[in-house]
Amino acid sequence: MTEHDVIEKLAAVRAELARMTAKIEALDKRIDDAIVSQVRDHGKRIAALEKHQAWIAGAIALAGAVGASVGTIIQLFVR
C-alpha cells in the first residue's frame, strides 16, 4: 500500500464518518421531536383527566348538597 492509497482510504473513512455523524444528528433531532410531542400529548391527556375529575368532584358535592337539602325538608315535614 502506497502513501497515496493510505490517504485515499483515510479520506473515504472521514467521509463515511461525516455521513454517520450527520445521520446520528438527524436521528437525535427526530427522537427529541418525538419525545416533545409525546410529552405535550401526555400533558393534554392529564389536563383532560383533571378536568373530568373536577366535574366528578362537583357532581359529588352537588349530590351531597341535594341530599342534605332533602333531609332538611323531610325533617321539617316530619316535625
Side-chain angles (χ1 to χ4, degrees), residues 65-79:
V66 168
S69 299
V70 169
T72 302
I73 292 170
I74 289 172
Q75 282 183 353
L76 289 175
F77 285 121
V78 171
R79 287 184 184 177

Side-chain angles (χ1 to χ4, degrees), residues 7-77:
I7 291 173
E8 284 182 5
K9 184 72 170 175
L10 181 59
V13 169
R14 284 183 176 171
E16 181 64 25
L17 181 60
R19 284 191 297 273
M20 290 173 61
T21 301
K23 286 181 181 181
I24 289 171
E25 288 173 357
L27 181 62
D28 187 43
K29 181 174 178 359
R30 285 180 28 206
I31 289 171
D32 287 347
D33 291 346
I35 289 172
V36 168
S37 175
Q38 289 295 318
V39 168
R40 186 181 317 115
D41 292 345
H42 187 64
K44 288 177 184 178
R45 285 189 296 272
I46 288 174
L49 288 172
E50 287 175 347
K51 186 176 181 181
H52 183 70
Q53 289 289 332
W55 275 99
I56 290 173
I60 291 170
L62 178 62
V66 168
S69 299
V70 169
T72 302
I73 292 170
I74 289 172
Q75 282 183 353
L76 289 175
F77 285 121

